[in-house]
Amino acid sequence: MRIDPPAYKAFAAALKDSDKDIKRQTRASLRALLAPLGVEAIREGSEGMPRRGGLRAYLTANAKASVSLQANRMYLTLNPGRSGVRLGPIDRGSLRHPAIGDMRRPKGQRRFVEQSVPSGTYTQALMKRKDEITADAERTISLFMKVKFGRDWS
């Protein structure tokens, strides 16, 4: 089974009109299934980062993933932590960080440098899990549609 756009829109509309308990259970199921796969992707993608300086350890220790449902799409967002580190630029091969020894300066006066890092490590790690992520989402959505309408929606 594949989730095509009209079927997903029907799911999103049905979820929106559902009981609060069903909404909560469906969202919780999607988060419980998909978020751990996102965290695994962050940890695997971080293996390609430089060992020195603590970036790899920080990214893997604080890895989080979230699932967001909207009217016409579902997002799995990878988040390495709360300190403003963004995976997008890192995945494109560029890491911007304070120069060594500059951390003692006040925040507005720190000098930043660009460092080249391996590109595509997070994309590759996520793409390895694409089929599993899609299958888990499809199973959860199908179960919701069975509960809501008493029949399979494929």
Side-chain angles (χ1 to χ4, degrees):
M1 170 184 11
R2 298 298 300 169
I3 303 172
D4 59 345
Y8 179 80
K9 285 181 182 180
F11 157 73
L15 184 64
K16 184 178 179 182
D17 295 336
S18 293
D19 210 28
K20 280 186 179 182
D21 288 337
I22 292 174
K23 283 183 196 179
R24 189 174 19 254
Q25 289 172 354
T26 302
R27 288 185 175 128
S29 296
L30 285 166
R31 275 194 305 273
L33 289 169
L34 303 181
L37 296 172
V39 170
E40 285 176 20
I42 292 173
R43 291 192 173 133
E44 183 180 323
S46 297
E47 290 300 314
M49 295 299 111
R51 291 182 199 163
R52 295 183 57 199
L55 176 66
R56 181 192 296 185
Y58 175 82
L59 292 172
T60 57
N62 297 302
K64 293 183 180 96
S66 62
V67 177
S68 174
L69 300 172
Q70 294 184 349
N72 55 358
R73 65 182 59 117
M74 181 182 339
Y75 293 99
L76 175 62
T77 305
L78 306 181
N79 185 355
R82 296 182 306 198
S83 74
V85 175
R86 300 285 177 248
L87 290 180
I90 295 173
D91 197 46
R92 289 189 294 273
S94 178
L95 172 64
R96 185 174 181 264
H97 62 85
I100 295 175
D102 237 23
M103 293 305 288
R104 285 180 243 128
R105 290 182 178 210
K107 233 181 182 174
Q109 298 176 4
R110 293 180 187 158
R111 290 173 295 189
F112 281 75
V113 295
E114 290 277 333
Q115 180 179 346
S116 181
V117 293
S119 64
T121 59
Y122 296 101
T123 300
Q124 292 167 4
L126 201 53
M127 294 311 282
K128 278 184 188 176
R129 293 160 177 78
K130 178 182 74 164
D131 293 335
E132 188 177 357
I133 289 168
T134 304
D136 287 348
E138 288 171 345
R139 273 193 301 277
T140 302
I141 291 170
S142 182
L143 178 62
F144 167 81
M145 295 302 271
K146 269 185 187 170
V147 167
K148 180 78 175 169
F149 298 112
R151 61 178 172 76
D152 199 358
W153 68 299
S154 52

